[in-house]
Amino acid sequence: MRVPNLSLAIAMALALPALAQAQTHDEATDLDDVVVTATRTAISANDALSPVEVITRDDIARSQARSLPDLLRGRAGISIGNQGGLGKLTTLSLRGSETDHVLVLVDGIRIGSPTSGLASFQDLPVALIDRVEIVRGPRSSLYGADAIGGVIQIFTRRDRGAVAPRASVTVGSHGDREASAGVGGRIGRGWFGADAAYQRTDGINACNGSSTLFAGCFTEEPDRDGYRNRSLSLRGGFDATDALSFEGHALRAEGENEYDGSFVNYSEVVQQVIGGKATWRPSEAVRLQFSAGRNRDSSDNFLGSTPNGFFSTDRDSVALQGDFGVGEGQLVSVGFDWLRDRVDSDTAYDESERDNHAGFVQYQGRFGAQSLEASLRRDDNEQFGGHTTGSIAWGLGFAENWRLTAGYGTAFKAPTFNELYYPFFGNAALRPEESKTWELGLAYRGERFNARIDGFSTQVDDLIAYDASIFLPNNIERARLRGAEIGVDTTVADWTIAASASFLDSENRVGFFAGNDLPRRAKRSARVDIDRAFGDFRFGVTAVASGARYDDVANTRLVAGYGTLDLRAEYAFTPSWSLQARVANVFDRDYETVSFYNQPGREWFLTLRYTPAN
């Protein structure tokens, strides 16, 4: 596997347990979180055969992240491109895959625009998020289209304890002002929750474009580009009996976004997710669940105050799943998924709706020190017909603290409405993009130390790109993605340390640019979080580094690598009230993640937070 510094990373991963053993007075970092995204069933993150990372509500509060991209940046396998600061268009690559090769769920509901194929990470308010689960690797055999690089599932706030309120206010650089408040808890057999959040910034100059050189945003607008987000989350549930439960949830975020552009420079956007589910457990060996939901992604666009186009898309989904215990440590899951994408726009698409039906089966088994997972799924899409995907993974525990994992999986990406049906541009004959991935992992879990290294090799075929011979998009490209991720979590002398590093070799495999790196993917990236509590005071550091990346397929425009350091502090002056302070980009680094688009320099933020003591 041709990955820079991979041998060094492996050596570090194998050597670190010896260091951890020397820390005889430390307590282990608890990573035994229950996850549902990896297998569509509840399992321990440590039992998952796929690489999984969990970000809890405590992690979010401690990090003082201002946005979801801010929370995710630099984590294992993740590369982010942002076009000008808070609220601006943000793309996310997982294991070097395309942005639309990452499936995004909110409370189990598929989100993202069927026209562009993108999920609006920048518009999902971090104040309303309870946890995030990141699963790296192909998951189409469970979820269908788009899960080539992996799956990111976002869970909104959950309240299962006593009824209690919470609130926070923040001020900071660039005219930042934020506020959030919520209440929730359990009453008898029912539970409820409600949260609202507001965020506003005057922003920075998003783009250094040029209308004469046709660069960046193709215009010169040296002004501040602000952003405002107002959001509301409602949820509730009821246990009708010990075996039957119901719950529902709704999230709506409305954004107003200023940016630089010659045709459009202001948008009013909406992200809305509504869903519900019913779960029946007639016995310990049987679990049946029915769920349904809708995601709305809309944007009204303007040039100044003049309307200049609108898009509104709906994704309706229904799922029925049964989980059946068929023996000690054996579970079989069978499910049916239905999805309908619809587009409403002032652009006259050739088609505005399509349906997808799918069925899947999954087996999970534990045999002493060995584990096995296998899944198979068949999708029947109204546009491109049938497509079958599958995956298999195996794990072996040995030497008490070690586990070896290996897996293989296929996945696919459905063409977007823009690629298929956009007037005078779409090609209705497009086929799905397809991938094959091999994975190998080694994990160590001790009392005071946890580490994991995972290698992968992915071949993506039938990539969609513009074909000059027919003046339309076509399935003409191939790519190879190879890499490794390493993660370490430990506690040393009361310091909690979480570190990750990613190594990637991405290559265009066909055409005029064969042999070139894929754009906007750094070969190396890393993140380190260090925290310690001193009584009522807590101090933390986050360091993020990324290597250079090309911004174009021709590999002529290089975006330099960068490193940033954030400092944060927190003082709890009562068990419920705390004051948080954060300085981001302490050394005021000037850098870009997308060519011509600026990133903020040094920033400060101050937060007053109320969270009832447990």
Side-chain angles (χ1 to χ4, degrees):
M1 188 177 295
R2 185 168 60 88
V3 181
N5 296 334
L6 179 56
S7 298
L8 176 60
I10 295 174
M12 291 173 58
L14 297 178
L16 281 169
L19 171 64
Q21 294 294 339
Q23 309 299 328
T24 57
H25 301 291
D26 300 333
E27 294 184 0
T29 302
D30 183 13
L31 297 180
D32 197 24
D33 298 287
V34 173
V35 298
V36 298
T37 310
T39 61
R40 293 183 63 154
T41 62
I43 62 171
S44 163
N46 297 298
D47 290 334
L49 298 182
S50 300
V52 176
E53 181 173 0
V54 178
I55 307 171
T56 67
R57 182 63 224 174
D58 288 343
D59 296 331
I60 296 170
R62 185 168 56 249
S63 73
Q64 301 184 40
R66 301 178 60 226
S67 67
L68 183 57
D70 188 18
L71 180 69
L72 297 178
R73 66 191 180 104
R75 297 185 184 273
I78 289 179
S79 179
I80 286 179
N82 173 264
Q83 297 186 5
L86 184 69
K88 303 304 177 279
L89 177 65
T90 300
T91 57
L92 182 149
S93 173
L94 191 54
R95 286 189 162 183
S97 64
E98 298 285 348
T99 298
D100 55 4
H101 291 177
V102 180
L103 175 63
V104 184
L105 307 172
V106 173
D107 292 328
I109 306 301
R110 179 188 291 256
I111 73 165
S113 169
T115 54
S116 68
L118 304 181
S120 298
F121 292 97
Q122 67 275 6
D123 295 318
L124 298 174
V126 73
L128 306 188
I129 296 176
D130 191 66
R131 64 189 271 122
V132 180
E133 295 180 6
I134 305 166
V135 182
R136 303 190 297 274
R139 277 293 170 269
S140 284
S141 59
L142 290 178
Y143 292 100
D146 307 341
I148 291 178
V151 181
I152 296 177
Q153 180 154 202
I154 298 150
F155 297 88
T156 55
R157 293 269 200 159
R158 287 294 183 266
D159 304 274
R160 302 301 174 92
V163 176
R166 53 182 165 264
S168 69
V169 292
T170 299
V171 295
S173 298
H174 308 301
D176 181 81
R177 49 272 202 203
E178 304 174 22
S180 66
V183 63
R186 175 172 284 276
I187 302 176
R189 283 188 169 271
W191 61 273
F192 77 99
D195 281 271
Y198 176 84
Q199 185 177 45
R200 184 167 186 171
T201 178
D202 295 337
I204 61 173
N205 180 35
C207 178
N208 293 321
S210 172
S211 58
T212 57
L213 299 177
F214 300 101
C217 46
F218 308 108
T219 188
E220 298 88 358
E221 293 184 25
D223 59 345
R224 285 190 170 191
D225 298 296
Y227 176 72
R228 182 171 68 178
N229 186 294
R230 294 170 292 188
S231 56
L232 177 67
S233 173
L234 302 172
R235 61 263 171 210
F238 178 71
D239 298 328
T241 68
D242 292 341
L244 181 63
S245 63
F246 302 91
E247 66 176 79
H249 56 87
L251 168 68
R252 183 178 174 90
E254 299 177 352
E256 298 177 15
N257 190 19
E258 301 171 352
Y259 45 94
D260 297 329
S262 54
F263 298 100
V264 175
N265 60 10
Y266 172 74
S267 294
E268 296 177 354
V269 299
V270 172
Q271 279 294 315
Q272 182 173 285
V273 183
I274 299 176
K277 64 182 178 181
T279 305
W280 183 44
R281 295 181 177 88
S283 70
E284 291 188 3
V286 177
R287 177 180 179 271
L288 301 176
Q289 181 172 285
F290 174 82
S291 60
R294 167 179 286 186
N295 167 230
R296 171 161 294 177
D297 183 315
S298 67
S299 177
D300 292 304
N301 305 313
F302 301 83
L303 180 61
S305 59
T306 304
N308 196 16
F310 75 90
F311 293 86
S312 181
T313 63
D314 287 338
R315 278 191 151 163
D316 298 326
S317 57
V318 174
L320 177 62
Q321 180 173 327
D323 305 315
F324 307 94
V326 293
E328 183 68 24
Q330 320 291 307
L331 184 69
V332 173
S333 299
V334 180
F336 169 81
D337 291 337
W338 173 83
L339 177 70
R340 172 172 291 170
D341 292 333
R342 290 185 292 186
V343 177
D344 181 23
S345 173
D346 57 352
T347 298
Y349 282 82
D350 297 335
E351 297 284 346
S352 61
E353 183 177 300
R354 69 178 176 190
D355 292 356
N356 190 91
H357 302 80
F360 70 90
V361 61
Q362 177 183 226
Y363 170 79
Q364 300 175 67
R366 304 290 182 263
F367 309 91
Q370 298 191 64
S371 303
L372 180 66
E373 293 176 4
S375 55
L376 186 69
R377 178 178 171 116
R378 177 69 175 179
D379 284 83
D380 184 10
N381 189 279
E382 186 177 4
Q383 182 264 326
F384 56 77
H387 200 88
T388 302
T389 51
S391 66
I392 187 168
W394 167 82
L396 173 66
F398 64 97
E400 188 176 353
N401 299 112
W402 292 87
R403 188 171 69 160
L404 177 69
T405 57
Y408 171 79
T410 60
F412 76 101
K413 158 69 174 62
T416 67
F417 274 76
N418 285 351
E419 294 165 336
L420 290 165
Y421 305 127
Y422 199 89
F424 309 108
F425 176 79
N427 179 3
L430 288 173
R431 302 183 306 275
E433 300 172 332
E434 302 177 342
S435 73
K436 300 175 182 178
T437 298
W438 293 92
E439 300 177 282
L440 185 65
L442 181 65
Y444 175 90
R445 178 170 174 79
E447 292 183 357
R448 307 167 188 85
F449 180 89
N450 301 280
R452 178 163 185 155
I453 184 167
D454 295 278
F456 64 91
S457 178
T458 299
Q459 176 79 33
V460 188
D461 296 316
D462 287 334
L463 279 168
I464 297 170
Y466 181 75
D467 187 344
S469 68
I470 62 174
F471 305 105
L472 294 173
N474 202 2
N475 299 95
I476 58 173
E477 293 195 353
R478 288 182 294 150
R480 187 192 66 188
L481 308 167
R482 290 181 175 177
E485 304 127 0
I486 181 173
V488 174
D489 294 87
T490 189
T491 302
V492 180
D494 296 326
W495 290 90
T496 301
I497 303 171
S500 63
S502 303
F503 307 88
L504 177 67
D505 178 19
S506 65
E507 183 180 335
N508 194 326
R509 302 282 283 179
V510 71
F512 186 76
F513 299 114
N516 284 11
D517 291 346
L518 298 179
R520 299 185 182 176
R521 281 96 159 163
K523 288 183 177 294
R524 295 176 295 275
S525 61
R527 173 175 175 139
V528 179
D529 292 280
I530 304 175
D531 290 272
R532 181 173 176 177
F534 301 87
D536 294 331
F537 178 80
R538 178 181 290 274
F539 173 78
V541 177
T542 295
V544 175
S546 176
R549 66 188 77 184
Y550 288 105
D551 199 62
D552 61 332
V553 294
N555 287 184
T556 59
R557 191 164 59 246
L558 185 67
V559 177
Y562 66 91
T564 62
L565 181 72
D566 300 347
L567 301 179
R568 56 184 178 274
E570 180 176 349
Y571 176 66
F573 49 90
T574 76
S576 300
W577 288 92
S578 62
L579 185 65
Q580 295 179 314
R582 179 190 181 202
V583 180
N585 194 1
V586 170
F587 298 110
D588 199 25
R589 298 298 189 195
D590 184 10
Y591 70 99
E592 298 174 342
T593 58
V594 177
S595 187
F596 299 105
Y597 288 89
N598 300 316
Q599 291 298 297
R602 184 187 299 114
E603 298 180 294
W604 63 269
F605 305 97
L606 194 64
T607 300
L608 178 64
R609 187 178 301 277
Y610 174 77
T611 305
N614 294 329

